[in-house]
Amino acid sequence: MSDECPHCSGKHKERTDAEYKDLMNRLKRIEGQVRGVERMIENKAYCTDILMQVSAITSALNSFNKVLLGNHLKTCVAENIRAGNDEVIDELASTLQKLMK
Amino acid sequence: MSDECPHCSGKHKERTDAEYKDLMNRLKRIEGQVRGVERMIENKAYCTDILMQVSAITSALNSFNKVLLGNHLKTCVAENIRAGNDEVIDELASTLQKLMK
Amino acid sequence: MSDECPHCSGKHKERTDAEYKDLMNRLKRIEGQVRGVERMIENKAYCTDILMQVSAITSALNSFNKVLLGNHLKTCVAENIRAGNDEVIDELASTLQKLMK
Amino acid sequence: MSDECPHCSGKHKERTDAEYKDLMNRLKRIEGQVRGVERMIENKAYCTDILMQVSAITSALNSFNKVLLGNHLKTCVAENIRAGNDEVIDELASTLQKLMK
Protein backbone atom coordinates (compact mmCIF):
# COMPACT_ATOMS: atom_id res chain seq x y z
CA MET A 1 0.00 0.00 0.00
CA SER A 2 1.63 3.22 -1.12
CA ASP A 3 0.65 6.51 0.51
CA GLU A 4 1.35 8.59 -2.58
CA CYS A 5 -0.69 9.10 -5.69
CA PRO A 6 1.24 7.39 -8.51
CA HIS A 7 -0.40 9.61 -11.10
CA CYS A 8 0.14 13.06 -9.69
CA SER A 9 3.92 13.32 -10.17
CA GLY A 10 4.64 12.54 -6.55
CA LYS A 11 2.49 15.34 -5.20
CA HIS A 12 0.09 14.37 -2.45
CA LYS A 13 -3.58 14.57 -3.27
CA GLU A 14 -5.13 17.70 -1.78
CA ARG A 15 -8.69 17.34 -0.60
CA THR A 16 -10.95 20.29 0.05
CA ASP A 17 -11.50 21.03 3.74
CA ALA A 18 -15.17 20.09 3.49
CA GLU A 19 -14.33 16.73 1.91
CA TYR A 20 -11.63 16.01 4.49
CA LYS A 21 -13.98 16.78 7.41
CA ASP A 22 -16.80 14.73 5.94
CA LEU A 23 -14.58 11.68 5.46
CA MET A 24 -13.02 11.97 8.94
CA ASN A 25 -16.40 12.44 10.60
CA ARG A 26 -17.70 9.32 8.89
CA LEU A 27 -14.70 7.31 10.12
CA LYS A 28 -14.97 8.64 13.71
CA ARG A 29 -18.64 7.65 13.73
CA ILE A 30 -17.82 4.18 12.36
CA GLU A 31 -15.09 3.76 15.00
CA GLY A 32 -17.70 4.61 17.66
CA GLN A 33 -20.10 2.07 16.18
CA VAL A 34 -17.44 -0.65 16.37
CA ARG A 35 -16.81 0.20 20.03
CA GLY A 36 -20.58 0.04 20.53
CA VAL A 37 -20.57 -3.55 19.28
CA GLU A 38 -17.74 -4.38 21.71
CA ARG A 39 -19.98 -3.12 24.53
CA MET A 40 -22.87 -5.20 23.18
CA ILE A 41 -20.68 -8.32 23.40
CA GLU A 42 -19.56 -7.37 26.94
CA ASN A 43 -23.19 -6.81 27.96
CA LYS A 44 -24.30 -10.12 26.42
CA ALA A 45 -26.65 -8.48 23.97
CA TYR A 46 -28.90 -10.67 21.88
CA CYS A 47 -27.19 -12.05 18.76
CA THR A 48 -29.80 -10.69 16.38
CA ASP A 49 -29.26 -7.14 17.63
CA ILE A 50 -25.50 -7.51 17.18
CA LEU A 51 -25.88 -8.92 13.65
CA MET A 52 -28.08 -5.96 12.67
CA GLN A 53 -25.67 -3.43 14.20
CA VAL A 54 -22.69 -4.93 12.36
CA SER A 55 -24.72 -4.80 9.18
CA ALA A 56 -25.31 -1.07 9.81
CA ILE A 57 -21.54 -0.52 10.14
CA THR A 58 -20.99 -2.31 6.83
CA SER A 59 -23.50 0.04 5.20
CA ALA A 60 -21.71 3.06 6.70
CA LEU A 61 -18.38 1.84 5.29
CA ASN A 62 -20.02 1.30 1.93
CA SER A 63 -21.34 4.88 1.96
CA PHE A 64 -17.86 6.12 2.87
CA ASN A 65 -16.43 4.27 -0.14
CA LYS A 66 -19.10 5.69 -2.45
CA VAL A 67 -18.23 9.25 -1.41
CA LEU A 68 -14.50 8.62 -1.76
CA LEU A 69 -14.92 6.96 -5.16
CA GLY A 70 -17.11 9.82 -6.41
CA ASN A 71 -14.42 12.35 -5.43
CA HIS A 72 -11.69 10.20 -6.96
CA LEU A 73 -13.50 9.96 -10.30
CA LYS A 74 -14.21 13.68 -10.49
CA THR A 75 -10.67 14.75 -9.64
CA CYS A 76 -7.86 12.25 -10.01
CA VAL A 77 -9.33 10.03 -12.75
CA ALA A 78 -10.63 12.88 -14.90
CA GLU A 79 -7.40 14.89 -14.58
CA ASN A 80 -5.18 11.96 -15.46
CA ILE A 81 -7.18 10.99 -18.52
CA ARG A 82 -7.06 14.60 -19.71
CA ALA A 83 -3.28 14.60 -19.09
CA GLY A 84 -2.94 11.47 -21.21
CA ASN A 85 -2.14 9.14 -18.28
CA ASP A 86 -4.43 6.42 -19.55
CA GLU A 87 -3.10 3.81 -17.16
CA VAL A 88 -5.44 5.41 -14.60
CA ILE A 89 -8.29 3.68 -16.48
CA ASP A 90 -6.78 0.22 -16.09
CA GLU A 91 -6.16 0.93 -12.44
CA LEU A 92 -9.75 2.09 -11.94
CA ALA A 93 -11.11 -0.98 -13.75
CA SER A 94 -9.02 -3.23 -11.54
CA THR A 95 -10.08 -1.41 -8.35
CA LEU A 96 -13.77 -1.59 -9.26
CA GLN A 97 -13.54 -5.29 -10.01
CA LYS A 98 -12.21 -5.85 -6.52
CA LEU A 99 -14.97 -3.68 -5.01
CA MET A 100 -17.67 -5.57 -7.00
CA LYS A 101 -16.67 -8.96 -5.56
CA MET B 1 -32.43 -2.64 20.32
CA SER B 2 -32.86 -4.83 23.38
CA ASP B 3 -29.81 -6.18 25.18
CA GLU B 4 -31.57 -9.30 26.41
CA CYS B 5 -32.38 -12.51 24.65
CA PRO B 6 -36.18 -12.60 24.35
CA HIS B 7 -36.16 -16.39 24.07
CA CYS B 8 -34.06 -17.45 27.01
CA SER B 9 -36.48 -16.58 29.85
CA GLY B 10 -34.75 -13.28 30.51
CA LYS B 11 -31.37 -14.85 31.16
CA HIS B 12 -28.45 -13.28 29.40
CA LYS B 13 -26.78 -15.36 26.72
CA GLU B 14 -23.62 -16.94 28.07
CA ARG B 15 -20.84 -17.33 25.57
CA THR B 16 -17.92 -19.64 26.08
CA ASP B 17 -14.68 -17.86 27.00
CA ALA B 18 -13.10 -18.85 23.70
CA GLU B 19 -16.01 -17.47 21.71
CA TYR B 20 -16.04 -14.24 23.71
CA LYS B 21 -12.30 -13.69 23.21
CA ASP B 22 -12.48 -14.47 19.51
CA LEU B 23 -15.32 -11.99 18.93
CA MET B 24 -13.66 -9.24 21.00
CA ASN B 25 -10.30 -9.73 19.26
CA ARG B 26 -11.98 -9.43 15.89
CA LEU B 27 -13.66 -6.17 16.94
CA LYS B 28 -10.45 -4.70 18.41
CA ARG B 29 -8.66 -5.49 15.15
CA ILE B 30 -11.47 -3.90 13.12
CA GLU B 31 -11.36 -0.80 15.35
CA GLY B 32 -7.63 -0.56 14.63
CA GLN B 33 -8.25 -0.92 10.91
CA VAL B 34 -10.73 1.98 11.01
CA ARG B 35 -8.18 4.14 12.83
CA GLY B 36 -5.67 3.10 10.16
CA VAL B 37 -7.96 4.53 7.47
CA GLU B 38 -8.21 7.79 9.46
CA ARG B 39 -4.42 8.00 9.34
CA MET B 40 -4.48 7.28 5.60
CA ILE B 41 -6.82 10.25 5.10
CA GLU B 42 -4.60 12.45 7.29
CA ASN B 43 -1.51 11.38 5.32
CA LYS B 44 -3.25 11.99 1.98
CA ALA B 45 -2.97 8.39 0.86
CA TYR B 46 -3.99 7.48 -2.64
CA CYS B 47 -7.76 6.94 -3.02
CA THR B 48 -7.39 3.47 -4.47
CA ASP B 49 -5.42 2.29 -1.45
CA ILE B 50 -8.10 3.68 0.87
CA LEU B 51 -10.94 2.06 -1.10
CA MET B 52 -9.18 -1.32 -0.88
CA GLN B 53 -8.53 -0.95 2.85
CA VAL B 54 -12.17 -0.05 3.56
CA SER B 55 -13.19 -3.06 1.51
CA ALA B 56 -10.94 -5.22 3.73
CA ILE B 57 -12.71 -3.88 6.85
CA THR B 58 -16.08 -4.75 5.31
CA SER B 59 -14.84 -8.31 4.75
CA ALA B 60 -13.65 -8.51 8.37
CA LEU B 61 -17.08 -7.38 9.62
CA ASN B 62 -18.73 -9.93 7.36
CA SER B 63 -16.52 -12.68 8.81
CA PHE B 64 -17.43 -11.51 12.32
CA ASN B 65 -21.12 -11.81 11.44
CA LYS B 66 -20.64 -15.29 9.98
CA VAL B 67 -19.01 -16.50 13.22
CA LEU B 68 -21.70 -14.89 15.36
CA LEU B 69 -24.51 -16.29 13.21
CA GLY B 70 -23.00 -19.79 13.29
CA ASN B 71 -22.88 -19.68 17.11
CA HIS B 72 -26.42 -18.28 17.28
CA LEU B 73 -27.80 -21.08 15.11
CA LYS B 74 -26.06 -23.83 17.05
CA THR B 75 -27.11 -22.56 20.47
CA CYS B 76 -30.02 -20.16 20.69
CA VAL B 77 -31.97 -21.15 17.58
CA ALA B 78 -31.60 -24.90 18.08
CA GLU B 79 -32.48 -24.71 21.79
CA ASN B 80 -35.55 -22.60 21.21
CA ILE B 81 -36.93 -24.82 18.47
CA ARG B 82 -36.42 -27.86 20.72
CA ALA B 83 -38.19 -25.97 23.53
CA GLY B 84 -41.12 -25.28 21.23
CA ASN B 85 -40.44 -21.53 20.87
CA ASP B 86 -41.07 -21.57 17.14
CA GLU B 87 -41.19 -17.78 16.88
CA VAL B 88 -37.37 -17.99 16.83
CA ILE B 89 -37.71 -19.27 13.25
CA ASP B 90 -39.67 -16.23 12.08
CA GLU B 91 -37.19 -13.98 13.80
CA LEU B 92 -34.27 -15.78 12.14
CA ALA B 93 -35.95 -15.58 8.72
CA SER B 94 -36.50 -11.86 9.20
CA THR B 95 -32.90 -11.29 10.35
CA LEU B 96 -31.45 -13.22 7.41
CA GLN B 97 -33.56 -11.30 4.93
CA LYS B 98 -32.09 -8.07 6.27
CA LEU B 99 -28.55 -9.50 6.08
CA MET B 100 -29.11 -10.70 2.47
CA LYS B 101 -29.98 -7.21 1.21
CA MET C 1 -25.83 -31.57 -6.30
CA SER C 2 -28.40 -34.08 -5.02
CA ASP C 3 -32.06 -33.69 -5.95
CA GLU C 4 -33.34 -35.29 -2.77
CA CYS C 5 -33.67 -33.92 0.71
CA PRO C 6 -31.09 -35.77 2.83
CA HIS C 7 -33.08 -35.10 5.99
CA CYS C 8 -36.56 -36.24 5.04
CA SER C 9 -35.94 -40.00 4.82
CA GLY C 10 -35.65 -39.93 1.06
CA LYS C 11 -39.06 -38.35 0.52
CA HIS C 12 -39.14 -35.43 -1.86
CA LYS C 13 -39.96 -32.06 -0.37
CA GLU C 14 -43.58 -31.15 -1.10
CA ARG C 15 -44.21 -27.47 -1.63
CA THR C 16 -47.65 -25.94 -1.44
CA ASP C 17 -49.16 -25.08 -4.82
CA ALA C 18 -48.98 -21.36 -4.04
CA GLU C 19 -45.30 -21.56 -3.14
CA TYR C 20 -44.49 -23.62 -6.24
CA LYS C 21 -46.26 -21.16 -8.55
CA ASP C 22 -44.64 -18.15 -6.90
CA LEU C 23 -41.14 -19.59 -7.26
CA MET C 24 -41.70 -20.68 -10.89
CA ASN C 25 -43.18 -17.31 -11.84
CA ARG C 26 -40.17 -15.55 -10.38
CA LEU C 27 -37.81 -17.76 -12.40
CA LYS C 28 -39.77 -17.32 -15.65
CA ARG C 29 -39.64 -13.56 -15.16
CA ILE C 30 -35.89 -13.70 -14.46
CA GLU C 31 -35.37 -15.84 -17.59
CA GLY C 32 -37.22 -13.16 -19.59
CA GLN C 33 -35.03 -10.45 -18.06
CA VAL C 34 -31.87 -12.31 -19.12
CA ARG C 35 -33.21 -12.61 -22.68
CA GLY C 36 -33.97 -8.89 -22.50
CA VAL C 37 -30.29 -8.19 -21.80
CA GLU C 38 -29.32 -10.35 -24.79
CA ARG C 39 -31.52 -8.12 -26.95
CA MET C 40 -29.92 -5.03 -25.41
CA ILE C 41 -26.49 -6.34 -26.46
CA GLU C 42 -27.79 -7.13 -29.98
CA ASN C 43 -29.30 -3.64 -30.24
CA LYS C 44 -26.10 -1.99 -29.02
CA ALA C 45 -27.73 -0.47 -25.97
CA TYR C 46 -25.75 1.91 -23.82
CA CYS C 47 -23.49 0.15 -21.30
CA THR C 48 -24.94 1.98 -18.31
CA ASP C 49 -28.45 0.79 -19.12
CA ILE C 50 -27.19 -2.79 -19.41
CA LEU C 51 -25.28 -2.59 -16.11
CA MET C 52 -28.43 -1.34 -14.35
CA GLN C 53 -30.61 -4.05 -15.91
CA VAL C 54 -28.18 -6.81 -14.88
CA SER C 55 -28.17 -5.34 -11.38
CA ALA C 56 -32.00 -5.60 -11.37
CA ILE C 57 -31.77 -9.31 -12.29
CA THR C 58 -29.33 -9.86 -9.43
CA SER C 59 -31.85 -8.25 -7.06
CA ALA C 60 -34.63 -10.49 -8.40
CA LEU C 61 -32.48 -13.60 -7.81
CA ASN C 62 -31.71 -12.37 -4.32
CA SER C 63 -35.43 -11.96 -3.60
CA PHE C 64 -36.04 -15.48 -4.94
CA ASN C 65 -33.41 -16.82 -2.54
CA LYS C 66 -34.95 -14.92 0.41
CA VAL C 67 -38.36 -16.48 -0.26
CA LEU C 68 -36.88 -19.94 -0.68
CA LEU C 69 -34.77 -19.62 2.47
CA GLY C 70 -37.77 -18.40 4.49
CA ASN C 71 -39.79 -21.46 3.41
CA HIS C 72 -36.84 -23.76 4.09
CA LEU C 73 -36.41 -22.45 7.64
CA LYS C 74 -40.11 -22.71 8.48
CA THR C 75 -40.52 -26.26 7.16
CA CYS C 76 -37.44 -28.37 6.68
CA VAL C 77 -35.14 -26.82 9.28
CA ALA C 78 -37.77 -26.56 12.02
CA GLU C 79 -39.04 -30.12 11.41
CA ASN C 80 -35.60 -31.64 11.44
CA ILE C 81 -34.55 -29.93 14.66
CA ARG C 82 -37.78 -31.08 16.30
CA ALA C 83 -37.07 -34.62 15.02
CA GLY C 84 -33.60 -34.49 16.58
CA ASN C 85 -31.74 -34.27 13.24
CA ASP C 86 -29.39 -31.59 14.52
CA GLU C 87 -27.01 -31.90 11.58
CA VAL C 88 -29.51 -29.67 9.74
CA ILE C 89 -28.14 -26.78 11.84
CA ASP C 90 -24.56 -27.33 10.69
CA GLU C 91 -25.76 -27.59 7.13
CA LEU C 92 -27.74 -24.36 7.46
CA ALA C 93 -24.77 -22.55 9.02
CA SER C 94 -22.55 -23.71 6.17
CA THR C 95 -25.11 -22.68 3.52
CA LEU C 96 -25.58 -19.23 5.04
CA GLN C 97 -21.84 -18.64 5.21
CA LYS C 98 -21.64 -19.30 1.47
CA LEU C 99 -24.59 -16.96 0.81
CA MET C 100 -23.01 -14.20 2.96
CA LYS C 101 -19.80 -14.13 0.91
CA MET D 1 -33.91 3.01 -20.43
CA SER D 2 -32.52 4.43 -23.68
CA ASP D 3 -30.90 2.12 -26.22
CA GLU D 4 -28.49 4.73 -27.54
CA CYS D 5 -25.27 6.04 -26.16
CA PRO D 6 -25.94 9.65 -25.15
CA HIS D 7 -22.26 10.52 -25.45
CA CYS D 8 -21.35 9.18 -28.86
CA SER D 9 -23.25 11.68 -31.03
CA GLY D 10 -26.16 9.32 -31.55
CA LYS D 11 -24.00 6.58 -33.04
CA HIS D 12 -24.49 3.13 -31.60
CA LYS D 13 -21.64 1.71 -29.61
CA GLU D 14 -19.68 -0.76 -31.72
CA ARG D 15 -18.26 -3.69 -29.84
CA THR D 16 -15.50 -5.87 -31.18
CA ASP D 17 -16.68 -9.28 -32.39
CA ALA D 18 -14.78 -11.02 -29.62
CA GLU D 19 -16.39 -8.85 -26.95
CA TYR D 20 -19.86 -9.32 -28.44
CA LYS D 21 -19.50 -13.10 -28.54
CA ASP D 22 -18.10 -13.26 -25.01
CA LEU D 23 -21.00 -11.22 -23.59
CA MET D 24 -23.65 -13.20 -25.51
CA ASN D 25 -22.13 -16.54 -24.50
CA ARG D 26 -22.19 -15.48 -20.86
CA LEU D 27 -25.87 -14.51 -21.12
CA LYS D 28 -26.84 -17.75 -22.93
CA ARG D 29 -25.12 -19.73 -20.19
CA ILE D 30 -26.88 -17.72 -17.48
CA GLU D 31 -30.23 -18.25 -19.23
CA GLY D 32 -29.52 -22.00 -19.19
CA GLN D 33 -28.66 -21.84 -15.49
CA VAL D 34 -31.99 -20.15 -14.73
CA ARG D 35 -33.85 -22.88 -16.66
CA GLY D 36 -31.82 -25.39 -14.66
CA VAL D 37 -33.21 -23.93 -11.43
CA GLU D 38 -36.76 -24.20 -12.86
CA ARG D 39 -36.12 -27.92 -13.39
CA MET D 40 -34.75 -28.21 -9.84
CA ILE D 41 -38.03 -26.74 -8.52
CA GLU D 42 -40.06 -29.11 -10.74
CA ASN D 43 -38.01 -32.07 -9.54
CA LYS D 44 -38.37 -31.03 -5.89
CA ALA D 45 -34.66 -30.59 -5.36
CA TYR D 46 -33.37 -29.87 -1.89
CA CYS D 47 -33.59 -26.19 -0.90
CA THR D 48 -29.91 -25.92 -0.05
CA ASP D 49 -28.90 -27.08 -3.53
CA ILE D 50 -31.23 -24.52 -5.10
CA LEU D 51 -29.94 -21.69 -2.89
CA MET D 52 -26.35 -22.52 -3.89
CA GLN D 53 -27.24 -22.71 -7.60
CA VAL D 54 -29.01 -19.33 -7.51
CA SER D 55 -25.97 -17.90 -5.75
CA ALA D 56 -23.81 -19.23 -8.63
CA ILE D 57 -26.03 -17.42 -11.15
CA THR D 58 -25.66 -14.20 -9.17
CA SER D 59 -21.87 -14.59 -9.36
CA ALA D 60 -22.06 -15.17 -13.12
CA LEU D 61 -24.12 -11.98 -13.56
CA ASN D 62 -21.61 -10.11 -11.43
CA SER D 63 -18.76 -11.35 -13.64
CA PHE D 64 -20.72 -10.27 -16.72
CA ASN D 65 -21.07 -6.77 -15.24
CA LYS D 66 -17.36 -6.59 -14.41
CA VAL D 67 -16.43 -7.40 -18.02
CA LEU D 68 -18.96 -4.92 -19.39
CA LEU D 69 -17.83 -2.17 -16.99
CA GLY D 70 -14.16 -2.76 -17.85
CA ASN D 71 -14.93 -2.36 -21.57
CA HIS D 72 -17.07 0.71 -20.90
CA LEU D 73 -14.28 2.42 -18.93
CA LYS D 74 -11.61 1.69 -21.53
CA THR D 75 -13.68 2.89 -24.48
CA CYS D 76 -16.66 5.11 -23.85
CA VAL D 77 -15.57 6.78 -20.61
CA ALA D 78 -11.98 7.42 -21.70
CA GLU D 79 -13.03 8.76 -25.13
CA ASN D 80 -15.63 11.10 -23.70
CA ILE D 81 -13.30 12.57 -21.11
CA ARG D 82 -10.67 13.14 -23.81
CA ALA D 83 -13.37 14.79 -25.96
CA GLY D 84 -14.26 17.10 -23.08
CA ASN D 85 -17.65 15.47 -22.35
CA ASP D 86 -17.08 15.54 -18.61
CA GLU D 87 -20.69 14.70 -17.77
CA VAL D 88 -19.65 11.09 -18.45
CA ILE D 89 -17.86 11.20 -15.08
CA ASP D 90 -20.98 12.19 -13.17
CA GLU D 91 -22.91 9.51 -14.97
CA LEU D 92 -20.26 6.91 -14.12
CA ALA D 93 -20.19 7.99 -10.47
CA SER D 94 -23.97 7.68 -10.29
CA THR D 95 -23.95 4.23 -11.97
CA LEU D 96 -21.24 2.90 -9.67
CA GLN D 97 -23.09 4.13 -6.59
CA LYS D 98 -26.12 2.10 -7.70
CA LEU D 99 -23.94 -0.98 -8.37
CA MET D 100 -22.26 -0.64 -4.91
CA LYS D 101 -25.58 -0.84 -3.05
Side-chain angles (χ1 to χ4, degrees), chain A residues 2 7 31 38 46 49, chain B residues 2 7 31 38 46 49 91:
Chain A
S2 97
H7 300 296
E31 207 192 315
E38 290 167 25
Y46 189 49
D49 294 332
Chain B
S2 96
H7 302 295
E31 206 192 318
E38 292 167 24
Y46 189 50
D49 294 332
E91 190 202 61

Side-chain angles (χ1 to χ4, degrees), chain D residues 7 19 30 36 54 77 90-91:
Chain D
H7 301 294
E19 188 190 327
I30 288 164
V54 170
V77 172
D90 287 320
E91 190 203 61

Side-chain angles (χ1 to χ4, degrees), chain C residues 1-8 12-15 20 23-24 27-28 30-31 34-35 37-55 57-59 61-62 64-66 68-69 71-72 75-76 80 88 91 94-96 98-99 101, chain D residues 1-8 12-15 20 23-24 27-28 30-31 34-35 37-55 57-59 61-62 64-66 68-69 71-72 75-76 80 88 91 94-96 98-99 101:
Chain C
M1 212 159 49
S2 96
D3 61 10
E4 292 211 7
C5 170
H7 300 296
C8 303
H12 274 157
K13 182 165 188 352
E14 295 296 339
R15 299 185 188 284
Y20 180 88
L23 293 172
M24 286 302 269
L27 291 172
K28 291 289 181 195
I30 288 164
E31 205 192 317
V34 176
R35 273 197 297 268
V37 176
E38 292 168 24
R39 277 191 298 272
M40 291 176 89
I41 299 282
E42 284 166 358
N43 296 333
K44 297 165 186 156
Y46 189 49
C47 295
T48 294
D49 294 333
I50 303 176
L51 290 166
M52 287 296 98
Q53 185 58 17
V54 170
S55 180
I57 302 175
T58 302
S59 295
L61 285 167
N62 203 21
F64 175 92
N65 255 2
K66 284 183 186 179
L68 191 68
L69 180 61
N71 295 338
H72 179 57
T75 58
C76 210
N80 275 289
V88 77
E91 190 203 60
S94 148
T95 301
L96 292 176
K98 285 174 203 148
L99 293 179
K101 62 167 174 305
Chain D
M1 212 161 49
S2 96
D3 61 11
E4 291 210 9
C5 170
H7 301 294
C8 304
H12 274 159
K13 180 163 188 357
E14 295 297 339
R15 299 185 187 285
Y20 180 88
L23 292 173
M24 286 302 270
L27 291 172
K28 291 290 180 194
I30 288 164
E31 206 192 316
V34 176
R35 272 197 298 268
V37 176
E38 292 167 24
R39 277 191 298 271
M40 291 176 87
I41 298 282
E42 283 166 359
N43 296 334
K44 298 165 186 154
Y46 189 49
C47 294
T48 294
D49 294 332
I50 303 176
L51 290 166
M52 287 296 99
Q53 185 57 18
V54 170
S55 179
I57 302 175
T58 302
S59 295
L61 285 167
N62 202 22
F64 174 92
N65 256 1
K66 283 182 187 179
L68 191 68
L69 180 62
N71 294 338
H72 179 58
T75 57
C76 210
N80 275 288
V88 77
E91 190 203 61
S94 148
T95 301
L96 292 177
K98 285 175 202 148
L99 293 179
K101 62 170 176 302

Side-chain angles (χ1 to χ4, degrees), chain C residues 75-95:
Chain C
T75 58
C76 210
V77 173
E79 284 160 25
N80 275 289
I81 292 177
R82 271 186 232 111
N85 300 328
D86 283 4
E87 72 276 10
V88 77
I89 285 282
D90 287 321
E91 190 203 60
L92 177 64
S94 148
T95 301

Side-chain angles (χ1 to χ4, degrees), chain A residues 2 5 7 20 24 28 31 35 38 42 46-51 55 65 68 72 91 95 101, chain B residues 2 5 7 13 20 28 31 35 38 42 46-51 55 65 68 72 91 95 101:
Chain A
S2 97
C5 171
H7 300 296
Y20 180 88
M24 286 302 269
K28 291 288 181 197
E31 207 192 315
R35 273 197 297 268
E38 290 167 25
E42 284 166 359
Y46 189 49
C47 295
T48 294
D49 294 332
I50 303 175
L51 290 166
S55 180
N65 255 1
L68 191 68
H72 178 58
E91 191 203 59
T95 301
K101 66 173 173 304
Chain B
S2 96
C5 171
H7 302 295
K13 181 163 189 357
Y20 180 89
K28 291 289 181 196
E31 206 192 318
R35 273 196 297 268
E38 292 167 24
E42 283 165 359
Y46 189 50
C47 295
T48 294
D49 294 332
I50 303 176
L51 290 166
S55 180
N65 255 1
L68 191 69
H72 179 57
E91 190 202 61
T95 301
K101 63 170 175 304

